[in-house]
Amino acid sequence: MLPHLASSGLILVNWPNRVMFPGEDHHSRTMPKGISDLTLAKCSKLLATMNDTGESLLHLC
């Protein structure tokens, strides 16, 4: 997904540190992609950036 976004000129801004990107493989789980592979802490970090109304808001540009 990231190469597709980049080739389209889109940039994810404020993606949480150490949280998998959409479509990124994670080899230690039976379901290697998607939100279901994130830990509760990483889901919380991602949700916090989506709900942030300040400078840390997750957005595309």
Side-chain angles (χ1 to χ4, degrees):
M1 179 175 191
L2 292 178
H4 183 67
L5 288 174
S7 69
S8 299
L10 295 173
I11 300 168
L12 279 170
V13 178
N14 292 327
W15 190 263
N17 190 29
R18 296 185 179 167
V19 174
M20 288 188 336
F21 289 105
E24 183 179 5
D25 286 333
H26 192 272
H27 302 289
S28 68
R29 304 266 187 189
T30 57
M31 298 177 71
K33 294 182 181 178
I35 194 91
S36 63
D37 205 27
L38 297 177
T39 64
L40 181 58
K42 290 181 181 181
C43 283
S44 296
K45 286 175 74 173
L46 183 55
L47 186 59
T49 60
M50 291 176 166
N51 288 327
D52 192 316
T53 58
E55 293 181 13
S56 297
L57 173 70
L58 177 65
H59 61 281
L60 293 169
C61 62

